[in-house]
Amino acid sequence: MRFRHLLLAGTITIAIPSLLLAAQPRYGTWGVATEDMDTTVKPGDGFFEFAEGTWLRKHPIPADKTGAGYNYELPDEIEQQVKKMVEEVTAKPGSPIAQKIGDAYAAWMDEAGIEARGLEPLKPYLARIDAVSNRADLVKLMAQPSYAAPIYLGISTDQDDPTRYAAVAGQARLGLPTRDYYLLKGDKYDSIRKAYRQYIVDLGKLAGLSDPEGRADRILSLETRLAKDQWTPERRRDPVATHNPMTRAQLMKLAPQFNWSETLRSIGLANATKVDVAEPSAVAAAGRQIADVPLSTWKEYLTYRFISDHASNLPKAFDDTRFGFYGRTLSDVPEQRARWKRGMQMLDNSLGEAVGQLYVAQYWPTNTARMADELVSDMREAYREKITNAAWMDEVTRRKALEKLDSFDPRVGHPVKWIDYSTLQVSRNDPLANEVATEDFLWRLQLERFPKPVDRTLWEMTPQTVNAYYDPTLNQITVPAAILQPPFFDANADPAVNYAETGATTIGHEMGHGFDDQGRQYDAKGRLRDWWSPATAAKYKVKADRLAAQFDQYEPIPGVHIKGKLTLGENLADLGGLETAYAAYRRYVARHGEPPVIDGYTGDQRFFIAYAQAWQGKRREGALRQQLLSNPHSPDQYRVDGIVRNFDPWYKAFNVQPGDKLYLPPEERVHIW
């Protein structure tokens, strides 16, 4: 199981040993955009607004985006850089892999050709669905790449032995973002379900399918039945509950309708003696639906999902219809993104590491890794000090926690070896064929790795991705090159900024995931194993439950609260990252002396302002609703206000007093480290 953290934050920066900077930082005079602040707001009444208020009022959300802020603007810059490289290799490919990049992009951008070919490229894939005549063939087709299914089959690191791979299964995604959209009551959700039904109807009409209205009713009814049996996002965060290795006999007892031996054989997993089932009751319920729902309805569902999932490769009417629902209705985005921009994402999904090699060659400074490694080391020592001095942790647990800290494996910049795309077939005139070929290639890549020991050098993000992640089964922190630049990485910034924006929101945050409510259940070798003493675990749980209860109270949209249990891991990592990065910064100050006041702000104040500005962002209501219902990350404002109010040094830095809106009595503040 792998945890990706997608509403990123921070980056990797180095603390500079002198305030006499060689050059000016990109933002302001010391590393943050002070013009974005609203100093008429008391920090204790709203720290996010104090740090970002002017920006929040004046900065509109672009018409083609779900939100605005640093985590949208930096990807835009990188998109432009990648576009220039891709256009160059499209015009003059200098190697076979460059030819593939150019061909894939040319096929994607050939809108006239896509229109001229119409539905012809789609027909062979729908014919495979039409040819299904029994449920055994239905299940085998569902298991193939590119086709939808009520459960997924895949390959991941074995949670009992992270040196090897395991076959995995669990509930699959549906057409709406999460089960809540099918089940919640109220006018808002009724209108979304009505629009979703109409979307299914519209796709059916465009494809010339029979009885589009009836199909839509049957498909929506099927998905609603599946949704009722699926696990909630909160429950799916439990690594113990979602770890259920089963033999073939146990799988057949759980859900015989999936004919496991034959299905596994058909997708290349004949040698998988066990399958780790994430949500057993949902898989069993899906099996019952395989038996109970008419075969014709399942074929209608597969047809709809194939068209919907691949609509961007079809004539413009399909692409626009999909955007109309998923973009405009669900996320409140007024305009579709330019096709070339979506082409960059297409390349990232299909030939991402090949593009990444080009990106690294042009945009990865050779000294950045060295500076990043230095900060990782600094943060590791800060965590060591925190763990060593944690009064709530007994000695047995403390020793094992330090062992885990020592075994952290940070990877920065780019992979040490790259994916070989030589067997990926790319057409210059059929983007649908390219997407299907990519899905097949990525599955075959997994199959090639399955019998071998786990390769710890593999990356799950491309170098041009503005993000970072932690993998508990490998105890790895991965920080791609793209995030290591302003506003998140700036070697010319004040050390307080670097420690806050990088130390807290990326390095400290990702390290913190090793000790959040999920990650703490994996040991130093990445095994899912309880290594905590009962007494220490109980004390930790009290802290975690209190933090979850705090976040349950926040209501970003009237009637829609943050789910404290769903966001707990990210909130714990945010708080632990802030606590530890501040400790690292104070260690820096102890070595170099108390910093001067700059622009009227002390070093500590600059640290917290930078922390808040690292989370600069706002979202459209539709996108925010999806986040609140299904995403483990709290909205940006609460990753600031909900965290700093638990941290004593913030109170001291800004003289926050009882009566201020964010004030919490000392006994109500949650301290992790």
Side-chain angles (χ1 to χ4, degrees), residues 132 134-142 290 295 298 302:
V132 170
N134 56 64
R135 294 178 197 274
D137 288 344
L138 172 73
V139 169
K140 282 196 288 187
L141 182 59
M142 285 176 167
I290 291 289
L295 180 64
W298 276 115
L302 262 66

Side-chain angles (χ1 to χ4, degrees), residues 3 237 239 404 470 472 475 512-523 527 531-532:
F3 308 131
R237 289 191 65 254
K404 181 167 187 176
Y470 171 70
N475 204 22
H513 276 303
F515 301 101
D516 70 14
D517 64 314
Q518 288 178 300
R520 76 174 188 85
Q521 299 184 66
Y522 295 82
D523 67 12
R527 298 171 297 190
W531 51 272
W532 292 60

Side-chain angles (χ1 to χ4, degrees), residues 60-319:
I61 297 175
D64 64 346
K65 285 189 169 57
T66 58
Y70 286 150
N71 286 312
Y72 297 87
E73 292 170 4
L74 180 55
D76 281 351
E77 293 181 25
I78 292 165
E79 215 167 49
Q80 291 284 353
Q81 294 167 348
V82 173
K83 177 176 183 281
K84 183 175 181 293
M85 295 186 304
V86 168
E87 288 178 340
E88 288 173 355
V89 301
T90 300
K92 295 181 180 180
S95 66
I97 191 61
Q99 183 74 55
K100 289 187 178 186
I101 294 172
D103 287 351
Y105 185 62
W108 172 266
M109 293 300 295
D110 182 17
E111 295 179 87
I114 293 171
E115 292 297 322
R117 287 185 290 273
L119 297 181
E120 284 303 311
L122 181 64
K123 290 180 179 178
Y125 307 107
L126 300 191
R128 290 190 67 183
I129 301 172
D130 290 340
V132 170
S133 60
N134 56 64
R135 294 178 197 274
D137 288 344
L138 172 73
V139 169
K140 282 196 288 187
L141 182 59
M142 285 176 167
Q144 299 302 312
S146 302
Y147 289 91
I151 68 169
Y152 69 82
L153 290 170
I155 296 169
S156 188
T157 309
D158 190 324
Q159 296 185 86
D160 294 320
D161 179 4
T163 66
R164 65 184 186 186
Y165 293 107
V168 296
Q171 69 186 43
R173 68 175 180 87
L174 302 174
L176 290 173
T178 183
R179 68 193 299 272
D180 282 347
Y181 281 88
Y182 296 92
L183 307 178
L184 288 179
K185 299 184 183 301
D187 292 344
K188 181 65 179 179
Y189 300 101
D190 288 342
S191 67
I192 289 174
R193 288 188 285 267
K194 182 179 179 181
Y196 180 52
R197 179 191 178 278
Q198 188 60 48
Y199 167 66
I200 302 172
V201 171
D202 292 343
L203 280 189
K205 289 180 177 179
L206 287 171
L209 303 177
S210 62
D211 188 20
E213 300 276 352
R215 283 175 181 256
D217 289 335
R218 291 185 289 272
I219 289 167
L220 183 55
S221 175
L222 170 57
E223 287 196 335
T224 302
R225 290 174 64 182
L226 291 168
K228 289 178 179 177
D229 293 308
Q230 289 198 339
W231 289 23
T232 64
E234 300 94 305
R235 189 181 180 192
R236 297 181 72 199
R237 289 191 65 254
D238 184 339
V240 175
T242 53
H243 177 50
N244 304 280
M246 295 187 180
T247 64
R248 300 283 180 90
Q250 290 172 318
L251 291 166
M252 288 301 293
K253 184 176 180 180
L254 176 73
Q257 300 85 356
F258 289 110
N259 193 11
W260 294 91
S261 291
E262 178 60 23
T263 300
L264 291 170
R265 184 200 62 76
S266 71
I267 60 172
L269 286 174
N271 294 329
T273 57
K274 290 185 178 181
V275 176
D276 191 355
V277 181
E279 304 93 3
S281 64
V283 171
R288 291 192 294 271
Q289 306 293 358
I290 291 289
D292 295 344
V293 172
L295 180 64
S296 59
T297 301
W298 276 115
K299 292 171 66 174
E300 290 173 342
Y301 178 63
L302 262 66
T303 299
Y304 151 66
R305 280 291 303 274
F306 189 93
I307 296 170
S308 177
D309 293 346
H310 300 87
S312 58
N313 302 286
L314 299 174
K316 188 173 185 297
F318 289 86
D319 193 20

Side-chain angles (χ1 to χ4, degrees), residues 89 119 194 214 252 276 286 341 350 367 396 430 453 489 544 563 600 666:
V89 301
L119 297 181
K194 182 179 179 181
M252 288 301 293
D276 191 355
K341 294 181 179 180
S350 58
N367 66 335
V396 173
D430 190 346
F489 169 75
K563 297 180 179 182

Side-chain angles (χ1 to χ4, degrees), residues 438-604:
T438 294
E439 292 160 348
D440 180 67
F441 170 79
L442 293 175
W443 176 244
R444 287 187 286 106
L445 200 62
Q446 294 292 312
L447 288 176
E448 290 174 10
R449 296 166 180 168
F450 179 67
K452 304 172 185 175
V454 165
D455 186 348
R456 295 179 59 89
T457 68
L458 300 176
W459 279 45
E460 289 193 358
M461 288 180 181
T462 63
Q464 62 272 26
T465 300
V466 182
N467 209 334
Y469 70 91
Y470 171 70
D471 184 335
T473 58
L474 302 179
N475 204 22
Q476 285 179 334
I477 300 161
T478 303
V479 185
I483 200 172
L484 305 182
Q485 55 188 301
F488 303 122
F489 169 75
D490 193 340
N492 297 312
D494 173 24
V497 175
N498 294 332
Y499 276 100
E501 292 197 346
T502 300
T505 62
T506 297
I507 300 300
H509 174 93
E510 299 303 340
M511 284 185 169
H513 276 303
F515 301 101
D516 70 14
D517 64 314
Q518 288 178 300
R520 76 174 188 85
Q521 299 184 66
Y522 295 82
D523 67 12
K525 294 183 178 180
R527 298 171 297 190
L528 183 58
R529 187 174 66 86
D530 187 2
W531 51 272
W532 292 60
S533 71
T536 296
K539 292 177 182 177
Y540 180 95
K541 189 174 185 303
V542 168
K543 295 172 178 288
D545 287 347
R546 287 174 57 201
L547 192 62
Q550 284 184 19
F551 276 79
D552 277 336
Q553 298 173 21
Y554 303 135
E555 191 176 3
I557 298 174
V560 187
H561 289 248
I562 294 176
K563 297 180 179 182
K565 289 293 187 183
L566 174 60
T567 58
L568 181 57
E570 297 298 327
N571 298 335
L572 287 167
D574 284 344
L575 180 54
L578 180 65
E579 291 173 324
T580 309
Y582 178 77
Y585 174 61
R586 294 312 302 177
R587 287 164 60 95
Y588 170 86
V589 170
R591 294 195 302 269
H592 297 281
E594 196 67 34
V597 173
I598 303 177
D599 292 342
Y601 299 109
T602 66
D604 277 17

